[in-house]
Amino acid sequence: MRRTVLLAALMTALTAASAQGAARLVVRGAGFGHGVGMSQYGAYGFAQQGADHAAILAHYYTGTQIGRLDGAGTEVRVLLKSARRIVFTNAGSVAGGRRLDPAKRYIVTGGLGAAVTLRSAGGRDLGSYESPLTITGAGGGFQVNGRSANAAMNGRYRGTLQLRASALGGVSAINALGLDDYIRGVVAGEMPSTWPPEALRTQAVAARTYALATRKEGDGFDQYADTRSQVYDGIAGETASTDAAVAATAGEIVVYQGKPIVTYYFSTSGGRTEDVENVFIGADPEPYLTSVDDPYDGMSPRHRWVKRMSLRSAQRRLGRLVRGRLVRIRVLQRGKSPRVVRAQIVGTGGRTTASGPTLRRKLGLYDTWARFTVITGKATRGDGNTPRGPETPASPTGGVKPGAAG
């Protein structure tokens, strides 16, 4: 009798596992990126409709105006790379001292305390310097060799190279340069340079303002060279059209009550942006980062999208959020767009709660504007909080990279 009971239990478990393996999670969504601030595809659409950059920025950042930057000498320090050693070429001199040969490679390593050591590629010791060691570039900008998260790490850069001793004996390569020279290397990294001039001007002002409003404190630099701040490609990222956009908007920033704001931007809204507190969980509401209609975003290939995966795959991705076997995902709260703010992960062994951004990250979704359907051989279970909307997705290929904090 006991053997029969155990066999029945085993068959039941196998049947359940088989059913879960056959079941599918279908996610129908909209947008690409975090959804806060300016939609880049929406800006593209507004520009095609004849709107200028000031009007576009005022639409996405509620209650703001175009302000003027005080002074033209603002410097930005961008972290290019941190490593055990930094190799650079096309250098002119050590600031205030030794001349360097632009054709030669030089190596900097961490020294004692806050010092760094400069050597030629042949191994000749050229001295120990107090950190940061500043290197001026020769014609065409200095070059830092080696790759990092930024694909342009072998490119050249304007301004100076600051080499700063970092923790555990490493060295950080920091590019110090004027604000607009920095923005010249950002705009084409965040928006296609073939887009309309007013869209590029919109991006230039948003990028300039973001750089001012998000300066880091400490660590010897203000910005990262990747999406932790903004994608910065140095001279390699400059184009004639984006340079023109930076020049045409020189000194312009987005202000609210006279102060620069954090001008979040991203690729595609799906038709509406979101309140900041509904995306960056724990953030305070901001009057200039509120949900707005985005009528010209529809040209994006990720305006609408669909992702499908087996329920078993979804469970693996969700990991410890699932208790028992995954049954469904139930949306508890949506924002105004309506992006998922909070959802419940329903398992056979209990329920857990996750934020929309957590679901996006774990399931590999383009955005938190999503609705979840579980399809099995017997039933279709929705997410319990599904807004009406188009179900036919656009092609998921292509699209602008998510922007700052994207």
Side-chain angles (χ1 to χ4, degrees), residues 159-183:
T160 62
L161 171 63
Q162 294 182 353
L163 296 151
R164 182 178 291 271
S166 58
L168 303 177
V171 183
S172 293
I174 297 166
N175 182 195
L177 73 169
L179 175 60
D180 272 14
D181 279 342
Y182 165 68
I183 299 303

Side-chain angles (χ1 to χ4, degrees), residues 53-371:
H53 67 282
I56 297 171
L57 291 163
H59 174 78
Y60 288 108
Y61 305 112
T62 306
T64 63
Q65 299 84 35
I66 296 293
R68 301 294 303 182
L69 182 62
D70 292 334
T74 303
E75 183 181 73
V76 179
R77 298 170 301 167
V78 188
L79 177 65
L80 300 178
K81 181 181 181 182
S82 291
R84 185 177 60 84
R85 66 176 196 166
I86 300 295
V87 180
F88 63 91
T89 59
N90 207 51
S93 65
V94 175
R98 177 190 293 271
R99 298 291 300 174
L100 300 178
D101 185 344
K104 290 185 177 179
R105 295 167 66 238
Y106 294 93
I107 300 169
V108 171
T109 56
L112 295 175
V116 294
T117 301
L118 175 66
R119 294 182 176 88
S120 67
R124 181 186 171 198
D125 193 329
L126 301 178
S128 181
Y129 296 85
E130 184 179 347
S131 174
L133 168 63
T134 299
I135 304 295
T136 59
F142 67 86
Q143 178 174 322
V144 175
N145 294 10
R147 303 188 67 83
S148 71
N150 182 359
M153 273 309 306
N154 284 317
R156 295 192 176 188
Y157 300 88
R158 300 183 186 279
T160 62
L161 171 63
Q162 294 182 353
L163 296 151
R164 182 178 291 271
S166 58
L168 303 177
V171 183
S172 293
I174 297 166
N175 182 195
L177 73 169
L179 175 60
D180 272 14
D181 279 342
Y182 165 68
I183 299 303
R184 290 171 67 187
V186 167
V187 177
E190 295 285 0
M191 179 177 281
S193 60
T194 56
W195 279 18
E198 288 300 329
L200 296 177
R201 293 177 183 184
T202 302
Q203 183 65 58
V205 178
R208 184 182 295 116
T209 310
Y210 188 88
L212 287 174
T214 60
R215 285 177 173 270
K216 286 175 52 62
E217 296 292 335
D219 299 324
F221 66 95
D222 308 311
Q223 303 287 323
Y224 292 99
D226 54 35
T227 54
R228 287 173 291 179
S229 295
Q230 302 182 90
V231 176
Y232 169 62
D233 291 333
I235 294 172
E238 299 172 6
T239 71
S241 61
T242 54
D243 279 358
V246 174
T249 61
E252 293 185 7
I253 55 174
V254 181
V255 299
Y256 181 81
Q257 295 182 350
K259 297 181 179 179
I261 66 167
V262 180
T263 44
Y264 289 117
Y265 57 87
F266 61 101
S267 170
T268 304
S269 74
R272 189 167 190 86
T273 68
E274 187 52 77
D275 291 351
V276 64
E277 68 271 20
N278 290 334
V279 174
F280 302 126
I281 308 302
D284 292 329
E286 297 289 358
Y288 46 81
L289 292 174
T290 58
S291 177
V292 298
D293 185 43
D294 199 14
Y296 305 117
D297 178 82
M299 65 190 68
S300 169
R302 287 181 180 147
H303 182 72
R304 293 286 182 271
W305 48 265
V306 173
K307 273 189 174 284
R308 296 178 176 87
M309 66 191 78
S310 69
L311 208 58
R312 185 175 295 167
S313 173
Q315 176 161 337
R316 282 197 301 267
R317 297 182 187 204
L318 292 171
R320 294 183 180 180
L321 288 174
V322 182
R323 294 180 178 172
R325 293 187 306 277
L326 179 62
V327 175
R328 64 183 289 202
I329 297 173
R330 180 171 177 261
V331 175
L332 302 176
Q333 179 186 354
R334 292 188 182 273
K336 294 178 182 177
S337 57
R339 286 170 170 80
V340 176
V341 178
R342 197 164 49 93
Q344 192 175 71
I345 315 302
V346 181
T348 57
R351 304 181 178 202
T352 61
T353 301
S355 68
T358 296
L359 285 180
R360 177 192 172 198
R361 184 181 70 256
K362 286 186 171 291
L363 293 176
L365 307 180
Y366 297 122
D367 202 306
T368 56
W369 184 330
R371 45 201 174 111

